Amino acid sequence: QVQLVESGGVLVQVGGSLRLSCAASGCSFAMSTLGWFRQAPGMARGFVEAFNWSGGDTNYADSVKGRFTISRDNAKNTVYLQMNDLTPEDAAVYYCAASNTNWRATSPNEYRYWGQGTQVTVSS
């Protein structure tokens, strides 16, 4: 059973930084790709980034390129999303997702396992 647990979402000011964590457990073969998505109120769940667990390849949405960076701690089976220069448009519930799909996958439908989400609020 794959389990994903996000943490780190808080209230942050515009221009601030924040690091989200996603702790993964369960069958590693079922989560070769780990992705981050976000959903603001009234909006569809949108792609943020995807990460290939074995090869380290990454894929970022254009809106976060240069501001968001992913890293991992293999010993803890945890992936981190470092978010810098935050704007009000970044405010959303952030979800960690996993699948054995290609790391270029950007559709939520391509991910099988999901965490419960963590709220990021950006104040101006």
Side-chain angles (χ1 to χ4, degrees):
Q1 181 71 21
V2 174
Q3 288 190 320
L4 303 170
V5 180
E6 305 98 328
S7 61
V10 294
L11 171 65
V12 63
Q13 291 187 332
V14 169
S17 297
L18 193 59
R19 189 178 79 163
L20 303 182
S21 301
C22 175
S25 62
C27 299
S28 59
F29 70 87
M31 49 182 185
S32 61
T33 295
L34 193 144
W36 284 96
F37 290 79
R38 64 187 181 185
Q39 188 168 21
M43 303 291 287
R45 192 167 296 187
F47 172 75
V48 176
E49 69 76 35
F51 169 75
N52 174 265
W53 195 271
S54 59
D57 302 284
T58 56
N59 183 23
Y60 292 94
D62 289 342
S63 59
V64 305
K65 280 182 181 176
R67 299 189 300 123
F68 290 14
T69 305
I70 195 166
S71 63
R72 64 180 175 179
D73 185 331
N74 288 340
K76 296 181 179 180
N77 264 3
T78 298
V79 175
Y80 304 98
L81 183 67
Q82 177 67 43
M83 306 187 296
N84 299 327
D85 193 21
L86 287 163
T87 72
E89 288 71 34
D90 295 317
V93 176
Y94 282 71
Y95 295 92
C96 178
S99 180
N100 58 2
T101 188
N102 187 281
W103 59 271
R104 295 181 179 87
T106 61
S107 169
N109 294 332
E110 298 179 272
Y111 290 80
R112 180 175 181 181
Y113 303 100
W114 291 85
Q116 81 288 350
T118 186
Q119 177 73 53
V120 172
T121 305
V122 182
S123 66
S124 56

